[in-house]
Amino acid sequence: MSDLAGRIRNLMALQQGQATRIPLGGALFDIVVTANGIDAYTAVTRMDEVQRERGGPISACGPVIEDRDQECLFWLVPPGTSQTWGPHLYGVCLGSPHQITLPAMACTEPPEPYWLRPLRGDRLVPPGPLGDLLAQHRPGPVPHESLPDLLSTVPF
């Protein structure tokens, strides 16, 4: 119960304009880490099309965080995805026991990590279409090679 209370406090802090550290997995989400850049942005735009409902917003993709300093995107995917995400050349999926620091909800532009696509309600990025789009658009460099460095510098 104290874990749940801590998560609720963290999410409240996020809505109050503070960055907050959230554990991956559990009932919230896992992340897929990819490179940023033109090919990744094309995948985000295509995911907008996949997730857009009739009459809905153009930026319909589930939540994506960009960290330009680390040259990567963090796609928030359903919890448990890290257990089913197979080897992929263009994306690494992480869940429990890792953590991520989410930017404040109002942080929508650099220089700090920011919401390239905002966190809205219960919308997450669907892993199947994401994997297909990453294979099609091939954002690089491949994150597997830099993941050890990334994990030591990004606050997980």
Side-chain angles (χ1 to χ4, degrees), residues 38-60:
I38 190 71
D39 297 321
Y41 301 142
T42 302
V44 171
T45 301
R46 293 285 315 279
M47 188 60 74
D48 285 333
E49 296 168 7
V50 168
Q51 290 196 270
R52 183 175 305 129
E53 297 173 5
R54 177 171 282 162
I58 293 174
S59 297

Side-chain angles (χ1 to χ4, degrees), residues 77-131:
V77 295
T81 299
S82 62
Q83 297 168 1
T84 59
W85 185 268
H88 199 290
L89 290 177
Y90 303 99
V92 176
C93 190
L94 300 172
S96 181
H98 300 284
Q99 297 183 358
I100 186 171
T101 300
L102 300 177
M105 295 299 292
C107 189
T108 58
E109 55 189 51
E112 301 298 322
Y114 69 99
W115 293 101
L116 181 63
R117 292 294 185 270
L119 179 64
R120 298 185 294 253
D122 62 353
R123 177 181 295 258
L124 295 171
V125 177
L130 175 60

Side-chain angles (χ1 to χ4, degrees), residues 4 6 8 15 18 20 35 49 68 81 92-93 118 121 127 142 146 156:
L4 177 60
I8 291 171
Q15 289 207 332
Q18 302 169 9
T20 188
E49 296 168 7
R68 288 194 178 169
T81 299
V92 176
C93 190
V142 180
S146 60
F156 283 99

